[in-house]
Amino acid sequence: MPENTATVDAGEIAKFEAMAAEWWDPEGKFKPLHMLNPCRLDYITRQIAAEFGRDLTAPKPFEGLRLLDIGCGGGLLCEPMARLGAEVVGADAAERNIPVAKVHAEQSGLKIDYRHTTAEAMAADGEQFDVVLNMEVVEHVADPLVYLTACQQLLKPGGLHICSTINRNAKSFAMAIVGAEWVMRWLPKGTHEWSKFITPDELFHLMRKAGLQPVDRQGFVFNFARFTWSLSDRDLSVNYVTAAQKPTT
């Protein structure tokens, strides 16, 4: 295990290590992320472009930006960020994810710095980034406030933190656990714990306590008729994503 593991939940890490080799199989255990990825990328790229005044039609709009994907898994977000010109570091506490991510990046001709480490360890080393992506991770850590504080410390002043997670209510239990794990079997049973889900208001409160200033939140909504995801300004009832800034002073 990497050093500074205050928020690492060993049981959660073991779940994802067991699934590591399937990261790039669009029909495998990570099918939900492959389906969600276009929607996630739409939100992420627009938030970064707005924050840093970048033109998304340019060949490499994120050139000059240093970006961390914490809990990077197999690199599903790291690779498109690298293609857009960002200097990308992908970090994951599940050691077996890293070789999978490295091999796929090499096969794709991309230079990405993948590391088996934690947010706390990187913060302790004084690492700094313009953007921290924190996607579908906070519901798996042992102490969300300590974890989010480390993410805040990893940002340069004025940096952007993008965090997605799952709301905690009856609908999220039905959709994210019963639907995704028990019925559709997109994920192994036990991947998520409903008690660890976080409401949008709770997440904003935690972010403020961690030293971040929330600026936006939207829902990821699944359309069963079209079998696609879309963004919603109003429906944050299950999956949702947030943007927050680190104050400059």
Side-chain angles (χ1 to χ4, degrees), residues 35-109:
M35 294 172 63
L36 180 58
N37 227 30
C39 197
R40 296 198 303 175
L41 287 167
D42 181 30
Y43 185 85
I44 290 167
T45 54
R46 287 192 291 106
Q47 289 292 326
I48 295 174
E51 177 69 18
F52 296 98
R54 301 304 177 96
D55 179 3
L56 288 174
T57 65
K60 292 187 179 294
F62 297 161
E63 198 163 23
L65 295 177
R66 190 166 192 245
L67 180 146
L68 170 66
D69 182 10
I70 192 73
C72 64
L76 299 188
L77 288 174
C78 290
E79 292 200 7
M81 293 297 104
R83 289 191 180 95
L84 291 169
E87 177 191 341
V88 179
V89 175
D92 205 300
E95 185 173 9
R96 287 178 59 196
N97 287 335
I98 300 304
V100 176
K102 284 183 176 180
V103 167
H104 199 273
E106 289 169 4
Q107 292 172 340
S108 302

Side-chain angles (χ1 to χ4, degrees), residues 32 173-188 192:
F173 182 84
M175 298 283 287
I177 296 180
V178 176
E181 296 183 18
W182 301 358
V183 178
M184 301 301 292
R185 297 184 181 180
W186 283 338
L187 295 166
H192 291 110

Side-chain angles (χ1 to χ4, degrees), residues 1-14 17 92-96 116-118 120-121:
M1 293 288 284
E3 295 180 357
N4 292 319
T5 58
T7 67
V8 171
D9 185 317
E12 295 288 338
I13 298 303
E17 287 201 325
D92 205 300
E95 185 173 9
R96 287 178 59 196
H116 171 225
T117 188
T118 64
E120 295 95 325

Side-chain angles (χ1 to χ4, degrees), residues 196-243:
K196 287 189 171 184
F197 291 173
I198 302 171
T199 71
D201 287 345
E202 288 171 347
L203 184 58
F204 268 23
H205 177 67
L206 287 167
M207 285 179 174
R208 291 188 180 100
K209 288 187 71 174
L212 293 164
Q213 180 55 51
V215 295
D216 186 65
R217 59 187 183 186
Q218 293 188 41
F220 290 138
V221 179
F222 188 68
N223 184 314
F224 282 93
R226 297 180 179 178
F227 226 61
T228 57
W229 291 88
S230 62
L231 287 164
S232 171
D233 293 326
R234 293 179 293 178
D235 187 355
L236 283 72
S237 58
V238 184
N239 298 78
Y240 67 97
V241 62
T242 66

Side-chain angles (χ1 to χ4, degrees), residues 147-182:
Y147 172 68
L148 289 169
T149 300
C151 290
Q152 182 270 141
Q153 293 168 346
L154 286 164
L155 282 170
K156 299 175 183 178
L160 180 67
H161 176 261
I162 299 178
C163 177
S164 62
T165 188
I166 306 175
N167 204 339
R168 189 182 67 257
N169 52 41
K171 184 177 179 181
S172 70
F173 182 84
M175 298 283 287
I177 296 180
V178 176
E181 296 183 18
W182 301 358

